[in-house]
């Protein structure tokens, strides 16, 4: 820092000669502690003890007068702006030839004047003459600080300041307007998709708008609120934290946290890159907490070295940007669908953010770099819009493929439905046939039951008839005993009764009823066992009806033991194939 001192009390003093440069540090000036001097006395009293020297300092809680001699070699008056450090409460006095008098301008962070740049006040340097500027620096509000504070003076040409002011506001307004349009557009997309990635992208754009205004110190001009904290470093440097600084820090925090969250959700790193996602999440959280604590301490007036905090913040930004790029590159190598579009849309803006962070790590910043945030925001918005269009095209293509698959699936479903209808019709036909068969079976079962009843009646009739014949035989035997002469005739009658107990007509009637219930039974039996006699086939029929031994004995008019013996012989003859009950 170069500071100019002049001698006091009529002694020849060095003069600052204006150059062609737009910015010029004034290397020669003199300093005087104030003792309630009026400006008229400062102007006219040549005995006042101004101190001259290099790198002069003033007490933190004092009030000082500064005298600066400037020579303008041009014949034309030059409108300039004087930038004064420290930026407390400074009043600049200069002579205006047109007004034929001295004019004063007040500037500084402790003044109620709305200004984009604190400490800068307009002045006029007359052409072809030596000019004297006076500055009254009021540091009384810094009385709580001990030690000294550094001073410096920078003279900037008015045309350059005006041009730069217009450029700053133009860039800022154009950036805010363009980003606001994209913000509204993406808000509509988020409303329809409910994708959290777009929500964080909206957060990035909102933080970018705040940062763009803060980058040109616009909040100090737009919002007339002078609340701030300030402190002086041990080296004598003055730092202050006002609304503009707060918005700058908070917007940086919003942008970086939003960018990390946007990348994590857009790339779905929790699913595809769980390990790296966990590291990025915790590093971002630690950086955000530390940066927020620093911001809160600054708001409360417990400041640290501002340069150290700025470097720490920007080193963290560099780390986060590199982590975001690493996530995108690893995701692309693992064929994550969205990684390609993410890199395409955000590589430029991340590069700008990285350049800004690196710049502020190694430099104190400067007004000539305010276009960087706007350029980064505009590039990010434009590239993301282009990537969004490309992604929408890809999505439409995939949607067309899905629609084609859906149509094919629909055709397959229709074919299956037709097959199902055919199967349903066939099923109904089968059910109808089954019902018909069921009905026919029911008729047959009824007919079978009727035949069984007739067969049972015939069998019962035979049993009753045989019982009657047996009774008659018994009575004839009794009569034979009473009539010995007629015994031959009675024996003949008894034999006839014995042979008539089962007549051929009864046999045919039984066979008819049995075959109605059991069709082709006798034919199949004869075909399989041709050596069976008529009585043996009749006995097989009784066994097939599951009649008991006593029942069969009653039908044949023989004793049960004879039935069992007959069955044993018949079973041997049929090689064990006989079924039935033996009682």
């Amino acid at each position: 820092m170069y500071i100019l001192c002049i001698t006091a009390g009529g002694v020849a003093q060095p003069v600052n000669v204006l150059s062609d440069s737009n910015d010029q540090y004034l290397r020669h000036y003199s300093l005087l502690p104030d003792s309630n001097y009026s400006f008229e006395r400062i102007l006219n009293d040549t005995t006042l003890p101004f101190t001259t020297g290099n790198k002069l300092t003033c007490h933190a809680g004092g009030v000082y007068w500064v005298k600066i001699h400037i020579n303008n070699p041009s014949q034309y008056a030059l409108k300039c702006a004087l930038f004064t450090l420290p930026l407390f409460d400074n009043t600049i006095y200069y002579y205006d030839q047109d007004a034929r008098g001295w004019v004063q301008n007040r500037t500084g962070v402790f003044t109620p004047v709305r200004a984009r740049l604190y400490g800068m006040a307009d002045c006029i340097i007359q052409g072809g003459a030596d000019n004297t500027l006076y500055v009254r620096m009021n540091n009384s509000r810094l009385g709580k600080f001990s030690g000294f504070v550094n001073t410096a003076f920078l003279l900037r040409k008015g045309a350059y300041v005006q041009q730069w002011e217009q450029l700053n506001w133009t860039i800022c307004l154009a950036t805010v307007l363009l980003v606001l349009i994209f913000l509204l557009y993406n808000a509509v997309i988020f409303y329809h998709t409910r994708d959290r990635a777009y929500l964080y992208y909206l957060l990035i754009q909102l933080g970018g708008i705040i940062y763009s205004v803060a980058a040109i110190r616009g909040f100090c001009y737009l919002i007339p609120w002078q609340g701030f904290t300030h402190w002086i470093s041990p080296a004598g440097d003055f730092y202050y934290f006002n609304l503009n600084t707060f918005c700058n820090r908070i917007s940086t925090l919003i942008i970086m946290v939003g960018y990390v969250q946007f990348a994590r959700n857009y790339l779905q790193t929790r699913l595809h890159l769980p390990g790296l996602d966990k590291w990025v999440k915790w590093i971002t959280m630690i950086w955000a907490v530390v940066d927020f604590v620093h911001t809160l301490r600054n708001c409360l007036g417990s400041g640290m070295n501002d340069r150290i905090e700025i470097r720490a913040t920007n080193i963290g930004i560099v780390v986060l940007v590199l982590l975001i790029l690493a996530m995108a590159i690893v995701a692309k190598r693992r064929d994550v669908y969205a990684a390609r579009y993410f890199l395409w849309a955000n590589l430029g803006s991340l590069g700008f953010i990285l350049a800004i962070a690196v710049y502020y790590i190694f430099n104190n910043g400067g007004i000539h770099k305010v276009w960087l945030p706007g350029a980064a925001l505009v590039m990010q918005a434009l590239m993301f819009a282009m990537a969004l269009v490309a992604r929408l095209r890809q999505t439409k293509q995939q949607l067309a493929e899905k629609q084609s698959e859906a149509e094919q699936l629909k055709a397959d479903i229709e074919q299956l439905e037709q097959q199902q209808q055919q199967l349903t019709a066939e099923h109904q036909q089968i059910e109808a046939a089954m019902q018909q068969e069921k009905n026919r079976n029911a008729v047959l079962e009824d007919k079978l039951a009727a035949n069984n009843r007739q067969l049972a009646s015939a069998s019962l009739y035979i049993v009753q008839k045989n019982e009657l014949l047996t009774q008659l035989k018994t009575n004839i035997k009794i009569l034979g005993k009473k009539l010995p002469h007629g015994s031959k005739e009675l024996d003949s009658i008894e034999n006839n009764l014995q042979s008539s107990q089962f007549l051929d007509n009864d046999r045919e009637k039984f066979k008819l009823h049995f075959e109605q219930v059991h069709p082709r039974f006798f034919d199949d039996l004869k075909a399989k066992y041709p050596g069976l006699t008529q009585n043996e086939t009749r006995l097989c029929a009784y066994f097939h009806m599951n009649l008991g031994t006593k029942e069969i004995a009653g039908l044949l008019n023989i004793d049960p033991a004879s039935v069992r013996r007959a069955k044993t012989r018949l079973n041997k003859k049929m090689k064990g194939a006989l079924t039935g009950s033996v009682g």
Side-chain angles (χ1 to χ4, degrees):
M1 184 181 297
Y2 299 98
I3 301 179
L4 170 66
C5 302
I6 66 173
T7 58
V11 180
Q13 301 177 2
V15 177
N16 299 278
V17 180
L18 293 183
S19 64
D20 295 332
S21 175
N22 290 321
D23 293 331
Q24 181 178 353
Y25 280 101
L26 302 179
R27 302 187 179 187
H28 306 283
Y29 69 93
S30 58
L31 193 68
L32 173 67
D34 184 36
S35 295
N36 295 323
Y37 298 131
S38 64
F39 177 66
E40 287 75 11
R41 184 174 179 183
I42 294 294
L43 186 62
N44 298 316
D45 190 350
T46 58
T47 63
L48 293 177
F50 279 89
T51 302
T52 62
N54 243 324
K55 298 182 180 179
L56 295 180
T57 60
C58 56
H59 194 273
V63 179
Y64 295 84
W65 285 91
V66 179
K67 183 191 296 185
I68 306 173
H69 287 271
I70 303 173
N71 177 264
N72 182 8
S74 173
Q75 59 180 339
Y76 301 104
L78 183 63
K79 185 177 181 180
C80 298
L82 182 64
F83 188 77
T84 306
L85 288 177
L87 309 176
F88 305 135
D89 183 359
N90 303 321
T91 304
I92 298 174
Y93 298 86
Y94 67 94
Y95 185 80
D96 188 349
Q97 190 171 2
D98 294 335
R100 297 184 182 274
W102 289 86
V103 178
Q104 65 181 25
N105 283 326
R106 191 180 179 189
T107 183
V109 294
F110 289 120
T111 64
V113 180
R114 291 173 60 181
R116 189 181 70 84
L117 296 175
Y118 289 126
M120 185 172 291
D122 294 336
C123 61
I124 297 177
I125 308 299
Q126 302 299 326
D130 290 338
N131 297 262
T132 303
L133 300 180
Y134 294 93
V135 181
R136 185 177 184 271
M137 296 190 303
N138 184 1
N139 305 335
S140 58
R141 294 186 61 176
L142 297 177
K144 64 178 181 179
F145 297 100
S146 60
F148 294 86
V149 62
N150 298 322
T151 59
F153 301 93
L154 174 66
L155 192 66
R156 180 167 290 157
K157 292 182 179 179
Y160 173 74
V161 172
Q162 184 178 4
Q163 178 184 3
W164 193 251
E165 285 286 292
Q166 292 176 352
L167 181 61
N168 284 332
W169 283 109
T170 301
I171 293 175
C172 179
L173 293 176
T175 301
V176 170
L177 181 61
L178 185 60
V179 175
L180 186 60
I181 292 173
F182 282 105
L183 187 145
L184 295 175
Y185 174 71
N186 289 294
V188 174
I189 296 178
F190 170 72
Y191 176 78
H192 290 288
T193 61
R194 299 296 179 180
D195 189 345
R196 293 185 65 184
Y198 285 97
L199 177 62
Y200 289 115
Y201 182 65
L202 293 176
L203 195 66
I204 296 172
Q205 292 183 315
L206 180 61
I209 292 175
I210 299 174
Y211 188 88
S212 296
V213 178
I216 65 168
R217 300 177 178 90
F219 287 105
C220 298
Y221 182 81
L222 298 174
I223 302 176
W225 181 64
Q226 300 300 322
F228 65 93
T229 59
H230 53 275
W231 62 95
I232 298 175
S233 69
D237 296 323
F238 171 69
Y239 298 101
Y240 65 93
F241 195 88
N242 61 357
L243 177 62
N244 195 84
T245 315
F246 175 79
C247 292
N248 184 284
R249 297 288 290 272
I250 291 298
S251 63
T252 302
L253 187 64
I254 292 174
I255 290 172
M256 294 312 303
V257 173
Y259 227 132
V260 172
Q261 292 298 104
F262 168 69
R264 292 177 64 221
N265 284 270
Y266 191 88
L267 299 173
Q268 297 182 347
T269 54
R270 186 179 299 178
L271 175 64
H272 301 293
L273 309 170
L276 183 58
D277 177 82
K278 187 176 181 180
W279 277 100
V280 172
K281 175 183 176 181
W282 282 105
I283 292 174
T284 304
M285 186 180 299
I286 293 172
W287 175 84
V289 170
V290 172
D291 191 70
F292 182 77
V293 169
H294 286 168
T295 303
L296 185 62
R297 292 179 70 248
N298 293 156
C299 290
L300 298 176
S302 178
M304 296 173 61
N305 190 322
D306 192 52
R307 286 300 310 149
I308 295 177
E309 291 189 10
I310 290 176
R311 281 181 180 160
T313 298
N314 285 280
I315 289 173
I317 291 174
V318 170
V319 172
L320 293 180
V321 170
L322 294 178
L323 286 175
I324 293 173
L325 291 174
M327 283 195 302
I329 293 173
V330 174
K332 186 176 183 300
R333 289 183 175 179
R334 296 190 180 181
D335 296 327
V336 177
Y337 170 74
R340 173 186 175 186
Y341 297 103
F342 181 87
L343 283 172
W344 185 19
N346 297 279
L347 189 60
S349 59
L350 288 173
F352 269 100
I353 294 175
L354 188 63
I356 294 172
V358 172
Y359 175 82
Y360 281 111
I361 290 174
F362 298 101
N363 299 277
N364 293 328
I367 194 170
H368 55 286
K369 296 296 181 182
V370 297
W371 59 270
L372 281 174
L377 282 171
V378 172
M379 173 171 285
Q380 201 267 351
L382 290 174
M383 294 300 293
F384 188 80
M386 295 172 62
L388 182 61
V389 172
R391 188 181 182 188
L392 288 176
R393 288 180 179 176
Q394 184 85 12
T395 304
K396 290 176 70 175
Q397 182 179 356
Q398 292 180 345
L399 181 60
E401 295 176 356
K402 294 297 182 182
Q403 287 178 346
S404 178
E405 293 178 1
E407 292 176 355
Q408 182 63 37
L409 182 61
K410 182 179 179 182
D412 294 341
I413 292 174
E414 291 178 352
Q415 184 178 0
L416 290 175
E417 288 178 349
Q418 293 177 356
Q419 293 178 357
Q420 184 179 7
Q421 291 176 357
Q422 293 176 356
L423 291 175
T424 302
E426 293 177 358
H427 180 71
Q428 291 175 352
Q429 293 177 356
I430 294 173
E431 285 185 344
M434 290 177 63
Q435 185 64 34
Q436 293 177 357
E437 185 69 20
K438 184 177 180 181
N439 295 335
R440 191 172 68 86
N441 290 336
V443 173
L444 293 176
E445 288 177 357
D446 293 340
K447 187 175 180 180
L448 178 63
N451 289 336
N452 282 332
R453 286 193 297 271
Q454 292 180 2
L455 184 61
S457 298
S459 299
L460 180 61
Y461 170 74
I462 294 173
V463 172
Q464 291 175 350
K465 189 182 71 168
N466 288 335
E467 289 177 353
L468 178 60
L469 292 176
T470 301
Q471 184 64 34
L472 287 175
K473 284 171 59 179
T474 302
N475 292 334
I476 290 172
K477 285 181 179 183
I478 294 173
L479 289 175
K481 292 178 179 181
K482 292 180 179 182
L483 299 175
H485 299 287
S487 59
K488 293 182 178 181
E489 290 79 0
L490 291 176
D491 290 338
S492 176
I493 293 173
E494 184 178 358
N495 291 332
N496 291 332
L497 289 175
Q498 179 68 29
S499 61
S500 299
Q501 278 190 323
F502 203 90
L503 300 177
D504 291 338
N505 186 32
D506 294 331
R507 292 191 186 96
E508 293 298 326
K509 188 175 181 181
F510 173 79
K511 184 178 179 181
L512 176 63
H513 288 295
F514 186 86
E515 287 187 340
Q516 288 180 352
V517 180
H518 307 285
R520 296 189 57 81
F521 176 81
F522 293 108
D523 294 339
D524 293 340
L525 187 63
K526 282 290 185 180
K528 194 171 183 180
Y529 304 102
L532 295 179
T533 65
Q534 187 175 3
N535 290 331
E536 289 174 342
T537 58
R538 183 182 180 87
L539 187 61
C540 287
Y542 287 145
F543 287 135
H544 190 73
M545 291 173 61
N546 289 325
L547 295 179
T549 303
K550 292 182 180 180
E551 293 173 331
I552 296 174
L555 290 172
L556 298 178
N557 196 25
I558 58 177
D559 59 276
S562 299
V563 174
R564 285 192 286 271
R565 288 192 297 270
K567 181 177 181 181
T568 302
R569 291 192 300 270
L570 185 59
N571 195 32
K572 290 181 179 179
K573 195 172 184 179
M574 296 175 66
K575 299 180 180 180
L578 181 64
T579 59
S581 174
V582 294

